[in-house]
Amino acid sequence: MNYLWFSHQHCYGAGENVVRMRIRILPPSGPPFTLRAVLDTGAAISYFDRALLPSLGIADVTTGRPIDLRAANGERSTGYVHPVDIEFIGHPMTIPIAFCPDWQEGTDNLLGMEGFFEQIRAAFEHRARRFYHAIH
Amino acid sequence: MDEISSGTTQHPQNRIGLPEITPSREVCRAHSWMVIRLFDIIASDVGTSWEPSPNPRAGLEEERWLEQNLNQLGNYQGLWIAILNHSIVASGDSFEELHGQIIARNIRDALVVKVPDDLTQRDYLIA
């Protein structure tokens, strides 16, 4: 039998079917602030609301690495990946985040596989509404 | 010697032949003020990037407050809000507007969320 060890657990609401985690943003200027982001193991990469771009010091989204984004409904768009400094439960990380200039503002922030889940060990016990994790 | 006007007190020469100078209380105070002021200037120039201290509890109390009071946010439907401790400290029509207030008022570690347009609707996110 294999065992996995976790250093943290997060309990989410009894009625919740998504897990939203607090992400502390460390902008290049201005005080830090906290956002909520959905843990999304179905997302190949993290995706954040493009409204955040100016606060991250990104004046031109197209300066990032271009990638093809495909949403669950099949809609395709070009996204641009930028490295962003965040803090996840006290752990500083730099993760690649895709932004899409074609998609509307106010979308959910998603934490995906490339760059985010690569840096942590994670497990869900959804019946108990618990998320376990450890930083690699 | 007039200690206050000169700012220093002369003492006998030390062992290597140089005069020992003890700064007066006023000079110490002035130096302390200058050091603090210099620190303020440096801090304001580099923003907050000089302070990487992690805060694992950032947003925790605010998130609990939000979950308990989501139904009381009718006046903020569709707006971006900043929550600090147990109250809404800023709001705006856009994230950019809200972030401008956060910077102007140096609000640290607020939880920033967009209040849904319809608080009664329960949807299922499929990302």
Side-chain angles (χ1 to χ4, degrees), chain A residues 7-109:
Chain A
S7 55
H8 296 80
Q9 68 168 326
H10 170 74
C11 302
Y12 46 100
E16 290 289 342
N17 283 315
V18 295
V19 187
R20 294 180 201 278
M21 298 298 290
R22 288 172 289 112
I23 300 296
R24 191 177 186 223
I25 302 293
L26 308 169
S29 64
F33 59 90
T34 304
L35 297 171
R36 300 174 94 195
V38 175
L39 297 180
D40 188 355
T41 58
I45 194 168
S46 300
Y47 170 85
F48 274 31
D49 185 355
R50 69 182 171 92
L52 305 173
L53 285 164
S55 70
L56 300 172
I58 302 169
D60 180 5
V61 66
T62 63
T63 56
R65 172 170 58 96
I67 59 170
D68 291 325
L69 291 175
R70 179 168 51 84
N73 65 359
E75 184 184 347
R76 288 178 178 273
S77 286
T78 301
Y80 298 90
V81 179
H82 292 264
V84 177
D85 294 330
I86 68 165
E87 196 180 296
F88 177 69
I89 319 293
H91 296 278
M93 293 179 172
T94 301
I95 63 170
I97 297 180
F99 298 90
C100 183
D102 298 335
W103 292 353
Q104 65 177 5
E105 291 188 3
T107 56
D108 283 291
N109 304 315

Side-chain angles (χ1 to χ4, degrees), chain B residues 41-56:
Chain B
I41 292 167
I42 292 169
S44 65
D45 281 348
V46 299
T48 55
S49 58
W50 55 274
E51 189 195 13
S53 59
N55 182 1

Side-chain angles (χ1 to χ4, degrees), chain B residues 20 45 47 50 53 87 101 108-109 117 120:
Chain B
E20 288 187 354
D45 281 348
W50 55 274
S53 59
S87 61
Q101 293 182 48
R108 289 180 59 86
D109 280 329
D117 292 322
T120 61

